[in-house]
Amino acid sequence: MGIYSKHKMFCTVCGKQYDWDCNYGFSKNRTCGMDCHREFEWRHILSVLGKDYYLRKKLGLDFGNVIKVNGGDMIIGFKEAIQPLKNMFKEEIYLISRVYNEDGEKQNTEWLKKNHLIDCEDPFLERRHINYCFKREEKAPIAQKLGLTHFIDDRIEVLWHMKLVKHLFALNPTSKQLSDFPPDGFGVKMNVALNWEELLPKIQETLKPCQ
């Protein structure tokens, strides 16, 4: 066994970090052990059959360029999308955002509070539903742990990792993202929308009984 045969990985089921041995282990599904491997296979079977693993619909969103322009104000169209999203998902709305450090966490949370999206009489999401991470690839394990059924991000490369989230949406991805990470590539299918006005009907379509 070579000295360079082990790599740090995140389990796609429980989200735990583990050492993956290139020569052994469950490399295909990126799970940390037999229990999570069986869980992954069960979810996959239900997905093939068109059955939902989770009974409740749960929405996850990125922060930058989904809710707020990076370095700017609220994304155009998001304010008008707040109530429709709440009508669709009730209290099952979650934020998963990558930040560079703890200061970034504080800044984002303060912005959400200042814009009356949390800690108010009628919040868009609960403070306890805010999740931060320091690497983009850490979003997928968090989404799995929360049991999300829908996720919105501006970066297709993030969505590529979310194989077990049934409905994926890329909001106004760059041309480079579309070229480097084709929306139907790597065995993951997703909807692409240029703006919130275009995105809302696509989300609504997935909530029909036949979906």
Side-chain angles (χ1 to χ4, degrees):
M1 190 179 302
I3 189 172
Y4 299 111
S5 63
K6 291 189 176 182
H7 299 275
K8 292 290 185 183
M9 304 286 281
F10 289 90
C11 177
T12 57
V13 173
C14 70
K16 182 178 70 176
Q17 189 177 47
Y18 68 101
D19 290 321
W20 169 55
D21 195 308
C22 297
N23 302 308
Y24 303 100
F26 304 100
S27 59
K28 182 179 179 181
N29 295 336
R30 297 207 329 188
T31 50
C32 63
M34 184 58 72
D35 288 342
C36 284
H37 177 70
R38 291 190 182 119
E39 177 74 5
F40 182 97
E41 292 299 321
W42 174 238
R43 294 182 187 183
H44 178 67
I45 289 170
L46 290 176
S47 176
V48 170
L49 294 174
K51 305 292 185 180
D52 281 337
Y53 180 83
Y54 297 99
L55 297 178
R56 291 181 296 177
K57 304 295 185 183
K58 295 185 175 184
L59 172 67
L61 306 94
D62 182 25
F63 181 69
N65 291 332
V66 172
I67 295 177
K68 175 183 179 291
V69 178
N70 284 332
D73 299 320
M74 186 178 292
I75 289 280
I76 294 176
F78 177 71
K79 184 176 181 180
E80 291 74 18
I82 290 176
Q83 193 57 51
L85 290 174
K86 289 172 65 175
N87 292 341
M88 287 186 245
F89 295 95
K90 310 304 180 184
E91 296 180 354
E92 299 293 351
I93 299 176
Y94 301 80
L95 180 77
I96 304 179
S97 177
R98 181 184 74 98
V99 293
Y100 293 105
N101 48 48
E102 292 183 358
D103 287 340
E105 293 184 16
K106 294 177 182 177
Q107 291 172 7
N108 289 357
T109 302
E110 283 301 314
W111 187 92
L112 290 168
K113 183 176 180 179
K114 179 180 178 182
N115 285 272
H116 309 291
L117 297 177
I118 61 170
D119 299 344
C120 59
E121 185 176 344
D122 186 24
F124 172 63
L125 76 161
E126 301 294 332
R127 180 183 281 262
R128 58 190 171 86
H129 288 180
I130 298 175
N131 302 268
Y132 292 116
C133 56
F134 297 125
K135 297 179 180 179
R136 292 193 181 99
E137 58 267 29
E138 293 173 350
K139 289 186 177 183
I142 296 173
Q144 299 302 329
K145 187 175 181 180
L146 294 172
L148 301 185
T149 57
H150 297 65
F151 195 82
I152 306 168
D153 205 295
D154 66 307
R155 302 187 70 92
I156 300 177
E157 64 181 292
V158 170
L159 300 175
W160 261 30
H161 293 285
M162 297 191 177
K163 292 185 177 181
L164 295 180
V165 177
K166 186 174 183 180
H167 302 289
L168 300 170
F169 304 89
L171 178 60
N172 194 26
T174 64
S175 57
K176 180 171 175 56
Q177 283 280 306
L178 289 167
S179 174
D180 293 349
F181 305 95
D184 291 331
F186 204 59
V188 177
K189 292 186 178 181
M190 65 190 72
N191 284 288
V192 178
L194 295 177
N195 51 54
W196 272 104
E197 183 179 5
E198 186 179 311
L199 178 58
L200 279 176
K202 293 179 181 290
I203 298 175
Q204 184 69 55
E205 185 69 21
T206 68
L207 298 177
K208 292 182 178 180
C210 61
Q211 299 299 314

